[in-house]
Amino acid sequence: MKWKRKDLLDLENLTAEEIKHILHTAIPMKEILGRPIKKLPTLRGKSVVLLFYESSTRTRTSFENAAKILGADTTNFSVAQSSVNKGESLLDTAKTLQAMNVDLVIVRHSSSGSAEFLADILNAGVINGGDGQHAHPTQALLDYFTIQDHLGGFEGKKVVIVGDILHSRVARSNVVGLKKLGAEVTLVGPPTLLPPEMKYLGVKISHHLDQELPGADAVMALRLQLERQQSGLFPSIREYSKLYGLNKERIKLTGKDTIVMHPGPMNRGVEIASDLADSVQSVIEEQVTNGVAVRMALIYLLIGGGTVNVVD
Amino acid sequence: MLWIKNVNLVDPTQGLSGVRDVVVRDGIISAIQERLQEQDVLAVLGTARIEEVQQIDGSGKYLFSGLIDVHVHLREPGQEDKEDIRSGSRAAVRGGFTSILAMANTSPVIDQRALVEFVRIQGQRAGMARVYPIAAVTKGFKGLELVEMMDMRDGGAVGFSDDGKGIQNAEMMRLALEYAKLTGCPIISHCEDNDLAGNGVMRRGEESARLGLRGIPASAESVMVARDVLLAGETGGKIHIAHVSTKESVQIIRAAKNIGIDVTAEVNPHHLLLTDKDVTLTGTSFKVNPPLPSMEDQEALLQGLADGTIDMLATDHAPHTWEEKAKPFAEAPFGINALETALAAVWQGLVVKGLLSPEQVVKLWSLNPARRFGLAGGTIQVGSAADMVLFDPLYKEMITAESLESKAQNTPFLGKEMQGFPVMTWVNGELLMENRKILDRK
C-alpha cells in the first residue's frame, strides 16, 4: 500500500487498512529498537521540529528518539525558550517554521484543533502529538500495536477503557480506531466524567466497572487529573479509587488473562494500584517501547517516501 | 424628490402588501398609491419639473421600512481596530438597516451620559444609519452599582444592557428592573450564568464531545431567562431577552407572556440558520456566544418566531479582527460579523423556503423593534420619515472581505454566494446606498 497522507491529525479519516498499514510498518521498527546500534540513514537530511506547548516527557522523548533513530535531525521548539513567551501567535510560529522549510512538525497544544490549524498552513507534514481534548492519535496507535501483539488481533476482542473519558483525548482517539478495527469497546467512568454526550462515539457506556470487567481482553485505565476533584467533578480520590481504581483483586473479575494498559504517567494508588501496575498482566512498559516503534513507522511513512521495504 | 414606481410595498402597520407607487418629498413619505400619473406626482411634490424627481422602477422588488437592528457592537470607543461607529453604520446601511442600537461593551463601557452622547454624536457625524446608544446597566459592567439611568436616557440611551456579560447577581437585576421603570426603557438581558458556562466555547452536546471542545450547556442561558422573567414579573419592569438560543428559553418566554409579564425577545439569524453541527475545529467564524444551537433548539426558535413568542430578529453584529479569529477555536473570540449578510441569509434560508413571509420579516426586523424601543420608523405611511429599503430578491453577490464595509470579515458566509440583497437604502429620505455601494457625501 502506498501512503499518501501529509499529516496525521486524528484517526477519524483513516481507514482500517491505513491503520493496519501503520501497525505493520511498526513491526520492523520495533526490531530495530532491539538492536545494539540503533541508527539508520533513512531520513538523513530531514528536519523534524518538536513543537510542544504542553509539558510532556514521554511523548516528546518518544518522538525525538523515533526521529533520531531514523536519522532525521530534530529540533525542540519548546515553549519556555521560544518566542512564544513573547506573545507570538500559533499562526506566526507556523509561518516561521514554514520559512525554515522543515519537513515534519510534531505538535502538542492545549487547544483542540491546533494540529489541524498548523496543517492547513504548513507544507510540512504535521503529526498531532495531542491537541486539547480532541485527539492523540499516536497514543491510540501504540495501544493498538500493544493489543495486537498480545491478543493477536481486534475482531471480537473486548476492550474496557475506564476513567475521565470526557476530558480524554486518549480515550477519544482509541475508541475511533478500535471501532474501525472491529474491537468491542466499553467506556466506564462516573457520570460527571462520562456524560451522556459521549454516546456520540457509538460504544457502550457504563458507570459500573465491576459489571463490565467480565470477559474483558484488555483494560485501560486513564490518568485521573487530580485537579478535577477541586472543580467538583467527583467527591474524593478515595471514592473514585474505590469505584474505578484497578487492582489485582478486581481484575480477576475478567476471568481471563487480561492485559492491563495505561497511557502514563500513572497515579499509583488512584486509578491503578502498584500491585497490578507492576504485575505480569501489565503491559504499560511495553506500551512505551511500542510508542517509539509506532512513531518511527509514522515519521517514516510521512516523510520517508512511503514504502515499507526501505527499512534495511 | 423621489418617485418609486410599481414596487411591492410591504407595511404590516397598515396591513399593506401589494404593488404601489411611493412619493417622497423633503424626507417625508408624501403619497402611496397604485399607478400614479406624472401630473399627480408633480402635484404632490409641488413642482412642475419632472427632471427634479428621481424616478425608480421598483418592479420585481420590495420596498420595506428600514430595518432596525436592536443589537449591534460598533466597538467605539476603544476597539476601533475591530470596527468603529462610521464603518459599522456604513455596514448597516449596506445591509438594509436604517437604525441600529449600539451595545455598551466598549472601552470604556458606556456608563455615563457623556459617553452616551459621544456615541450618538459619532453616529450623526457618520451620517449613515441612525445610531441609538444602549447604556450599561451597571457601572463598568461590574454588576455592583446602577448607572445614572435617567441622565443617560436624557442623553439619548434607548435601553440598558450589560450585554457581553450576564448580570450574575439576581438582586442587582431585580433593582435594575425596578429602577428602570422610571425611564420607560427596557433592560436588555444577556442571559448567561458564568458558572454553568464555565470555559465553554460551543454548545454542550455530542458535537462538542466529538470535537473535544468544552461545552456550554443550554441551561447556562435558560436558567437566567427564567430568573429574569420572574424578576420582571415581580417588579413590573420591562425586560428584553437578547439572543435567545435554546428551546427551554423559548418555553419560558412563552409561559411568561401568557401570564402577562412585560417581556420581549430577539433571535439572531445565525441561530436560525446554523447549528452546532456546522462547527469545525478551524471554523472560528462559527464561534459565537450564545453558541450555535442544537437542531432541536433551532426548531424551537423557529416555532417561537412563528407563534410570536420571539418578537424580533437582531444580528448581534460582533466584528473581530482577522488576527483575533486566526487562532485555534478555543482561543478565538466569540462573535459573528452580520450586518451585511443577515438579511440575505434570512431571505434565502427562511423566506425562500417558506418558513417566514416578507411581511413577517418587516414586522420582526422593523416594526416590532421600533415599538419596543420607542423609535421612529418601522412603517412606510404618508407623513412618516422616509427610512426605506429597496430589496431585490434576485440580486446575487459573492461575500468577500473587499466588498464589506465593516472593518472585519468574521462571517460564516465569507467566500459564499448569497441571493436577495437590499439595492437601495434611504435614511430620512436621503439615498445612502445604491447598487450595493455606499454613496459618500460630498
Side-chain angles (χ1 to χ4, degrees):
Chain A
M1 160 178 195
K2 178 84 183 158
W3 185 262
K4 293 202 180 85
R5 292 176 189 273
K6 167 174 106 63
D7 314 299
L8 180 77
L9 306 178
D10 58 46
L11 298 179
E12 299 265 1
N13 301 318
L14 256 54
T15 61
E17 196 195 3
E18 285 173 301
I19 294 173
K20 285 177 184 165
H21 183 59
I22 298 167
L23 300 180
H24 183 66
T25 310
I27 295 170
M29 299 297 179
K30 191 173 179 183
E31 184 269 317
I32 291 161
L33 272 179
R35 294 181 189 173
I37 310 278
K38 296 184 273 288
K39 192 76 172 178
L40 295 179
T42 317
L43 297 184
R44 196 160 58 194
K46 297 281 186 185
S47 55
V48 174
V49 169
L50 298 147
L51 180 60
F52 276 62
Y53 287 84
E54 274 186 340
S55 60
S56 154
T57 310
R58 68 190 60 212
T59 305
R60 192 180 52 73
T61 312
S62 177
F63 270 115
E64 189 167 354
N65 270 323
K68 282 185 167 152
I69 293 167
L70 290 170
D73 294 316
T74 63
T75 310
N76 270 293
F77 195 111
S78 56
V79 179
Q81 47 195 265
S82 74
S83 54
V84 172
N85 279 352
K86 297 172 197 158
E88 185 173 83
S89 68
L90 187 59
L91 178 71
D92 284 329
T93 302
K95 288 184 170 173
T96 304
L97 294 174
Q98 175 80 326
M100 289 175 181
N101 212 9
V102 303
D103 296 296
L104 181 67
V105 176
I106 294 151
V107 61
R108 167 168 289 193
H109 195 285
S110 59
S111 282
S112 300
S114 47
E116 189 180 333
F117 181 92
L118 280 181
D120 285 350
I121 301 163
L122 293 174
N123 293 332
V126 173
I127 296 179
N128 184 0
D131 64 327
Q133 299 169 8
H134 172 241
H136 194 351
T138 60
Q139 177 69 42
L141 288 165
L142 74 88
D143 291 335
Y144 306 158
F145 190 93
T146 310
I147 289 171
Q148 181 168 268
D149 217 21
H150 282 267
L151 305 180
F154 302 91
E155 210 61 52
K157 300 295 179 191
K158 182 175 174 183
V159 180
V160 172
I161 303 176
V162 55
D164 179 2
I165 309 289
L166 176 63
H167 301 101
S168 176
R169 56 193 175 207
V170 174
R172 278 178 177 76
S173 283
N174 251 294
V175 174
V176 168
L178 282 171
K179 277 175 67 189
K180 292 184 189 206
L181 294 167
E184 180 200 324
V185 187
T186 302
L187 299 173
V188 182
T192 44
L193 299 177
L194 181 49
E197 63 258 31
M198 295 307 293
K199 69 178 183 285
Y200 87 88
L201 283 165
V203 296
K204 186 177 180 189
I205 283 179
S206 167
H207 306 302
H208 306 286
L209 179 59
D210 292 347
Q211 286 174 19
E212 305 306 328
L213 286 176
D217 297 289
V219 179
M220 185 188 303
L222 299 173
R223 176 178 169 80
L224 184 71
Q225 300 215 296
L226 302 180
E227 62 268 22
R228 307 258 181 245
Q229 192 259 326
Q230 270 110 55
S231 36
L233 284 158
F234 58 93
S236 70
I237 292 188
R238 179 173 169 271
E239 177 151 311
Y240 179 88
S241 186
K242 204 169 157 192
L243 294 172
Y244 302 104
L246 295 179
N247 56 48
K248 217 162 179 179
E249 198 52 36
R250 182 170 254 161
I251 207 74
K252 286 181 186 158
L253 289 172
T254 63
K256 286 190 174 176
D257 283 337
T258 306
I259 59 167
V260 176
M261 308 172 76
H262 192 295
M266 289 182 277
N267 294 302
R268 286 173 182 261
V270 181
E271 69 265 5
I272 188 162
S274 282
D275 65 354
L276 185 61
D278 302 330
S279 75
V280 288
Q281 280 180 279
S282 164
V283 295
I284 296 168
E285 284 169 32
E286 278 175 62
Q287 286 176 272
V288 177
T289 312
N290 295 340
V292 180
V294 163
R295 288 173 178 123
M296 284 170 71
L298 261 179
I299 293 171
Y300 174 69
L301 288 171
L302 290 179
I303 61 170
T307 51
V308 188
N309 46 17
V310 185
V311 184
D312 258 5
Chain B
M1 288 179 280
L2 173 65
W3 177 16
I4 306 170
K5 301 175 193 177
N6 295 314
V7 75
N8 199 334
L9 177 63
V10 176
D11 190 52
T13 325
Q14 309 167 75
L16 181 58
S17 189
V19 176
R20 295 289 187 280
D21 282 17
V22 175
V23 179
V24 177
R25 178 186 177 183
D26 299 331
I28 304 292
I29 311 285
S30 308
I32 299 172
Q33 277 182 47
E34 290 180 63
R35 282 187 293 279
L36 279 167
Q37 299 302 311
E38 190 175 310
Q39 63 268 33
D40 302 328
V41 173
L42 291 174
V44 167
L45 292 173
T47 176
R49 296 164 50 85
I50 193 71
E51 310 84 64
E52 292 178 358
V53 183
Q54 185 183 13
Q55 300 181 52
I56 291 162
D57 178 16
S59 47
K61 302 187 177 73
Y62 289 89
L63 191 68
F64 302 147
S65 51
L67 302 187
I68 298 174
D69 197 336
V70 302
H71 197 142
V72 303
H73 296 273
L74 299 182
R75 308 299 191 201
E76 185 182 351
Q79 300 162 328
E80 293 84 353
D81 51 337
K82 298 173 194 262
E83 193 82 291
D84 58 29
I85 290 171
R86 181 170 184 273
S87 64
S89 62
R90 289 167 70 92
V93 164
R94 190 159 178 274
F97 298 92
T98 55
S99 294
I100 48 179
L101 274 57
M103 284 298 171
N105 64 334
T106 48
S107 179
V109 161
I110 308 301
D111 60 1
Q112 296 175 42
R113 178 171 179 160
L115 290 163
V116 166
E117 294 188 351
F118 170 78
V119 170
R120 201 161 47 85
I121 290 164
Q122 287 294 77
Q124 287 164 0
R125 282 187 184 137
M128 286 283 145
R130 301 171 197 263
V131 176
Y132 295 100
I134 297 294
V137 174
T138 67
K139 291 175 190 159
F141 274 25
K142 293 202 174 88
L144 299 172
E145 293 172 55
L146 294 179
V147 300
E148 294 172 330
M149 285 188 174
M150 285 301 281
D151 202 28
M152 296 186 77
R153 186 205 64 180
D154 293 344
V158 298
F160 299 92
S161 183
D162 281 3
D163 181 73
K165 275 171 118 175
I167 293 176
Q168 302 300 308
N169 183 320
E171 170 63 0
M172 195 71 238
M173 183 51 110
R174 196 191 66 77
L175 290 168
L177 283 162
E178 198 136 71
Y179 191 84
K181 288 195 285 182
L182 268 180
T183 68
C185 301
I187 300 278
I188 303 171
S189 182
H190 167 114
C191 291
E192 180 180 11
D193 181 297
N194 288 350
D195 294 308
L196 287 170
N199 297 318
V201 297
M202 68 176 289
R203 171 69 71 231
R204 181 169 188 165
E206 292 191 22
E207 293 306 316
S208 67
R210 182 193 309 282
L211 296 171
L213 292 171
R214 284 176 194 272
I216 300 173
S219 58
E221 169 181 306
S222 317
V223 295
M224 200 173 277
V225 172
R227 182 197 79 175
D228 287 355
V229 298
L230 288 172
L231 292 171
E234 191 174 83
T235 56
K238 265 189 198 179
I239 187 102
H240 174 77
I241 308 293
H243 41 55
V244 172
S245 76
T246 76
K247 178 178 145 188
E248 293 76 17
S249 298
V250 175
Q251 290 168 338
I252 293 160
I253 294 163
R254 186 178 290 129
K257 286 189 165 183
N258 281 339
I259 57 170
I261 291 170
D262 189 358
V263 54
T264 51
E266 75 192 31
V267 64
N268 306 146
H270 47 260
H271 290 130
L272 298 170
L273 299 166
L274 304 169
T275 68
D276 58 355
K277 286 193 171 21
D278 293 304
V279 176
T280 60
L281 284 172
T282 52
T284 56
S285 287
F286 294 77
K287 182 176 174 182
V288 64
N289 192 22
L292 295 178
S294 68
M295 209 78 105
E296 198 187 345
D297 284 326
Q298 188 172 80
E299 279 163 26
L301 294 172
L302 286 165
Q303 183 54 40
L305 262 190
D307 69 16
T309 301
I310 296 173
D311 305 87
M312 58 193 86
L313 290 160
T315 61
D316 195 2
H317 175 74
H320 290 292
T321 65
W322 178 82
E323 293 83 353
E324 289 171 305
K325 282 286 196 179
K327 286 181 180 168
F329 196 91
E331 296 166 31
F334 291 100
I336 288 178
N337 184 332
L339 279 169
E340 289 167 84
T341 52
L343 181 54
V346 164
W347 194 268
Q348 69 183 31
L350 300 176
V351 178
V352 171
K353 290 182 181 162
L355 295 167
L356 274 187
S357 64
E359 291 75 18
Q360 277 175 296
V361 171
V362 176
K363 198 172 165 196
L364 292 163
W365 231 339
S366 184
L367 175 59
N368 289 352
R371 284 189 175 159
R372 182 56 166 173
F373 291 90
L375 312 175
T379 183
I380 294 178
Q381 50 187 311
V382 174
S384 67
D387 286 6
M388 309 184 296
V389 179
L390 188 68
F391 179 82
D392 183 350
L394 300 179
Y395 195 98
K396 287 185 184 171
E397 185 175 292
M398 178 73 85
I399 307 302
T400 62
E402 298 73 42
S403 65
L404 295 173
E405 284 289 340
S406 170
K407 288 186 182 182
Q409 58 194 63
N410 52 312
T411 158
F413 303 107
L414 196 70
K416 301 209 168 85
E417 189 181 68
M418 304 180 86
Q419 183 178 339
F421 283 92
V423 289
M424 287 187 169
T425 306
W426 294 266
V427 176
N428 219 11
E430 190 173 353
L431 183 62
L432 296 179
M433 187 275 285
E434 185 173 11
N435 291 327
R436 312 289 303 125
K437 298 239 178 344
I438 295 292
L439 300 177
D440 278 298
R441 292 162 196 231
K442 311 294 169 302

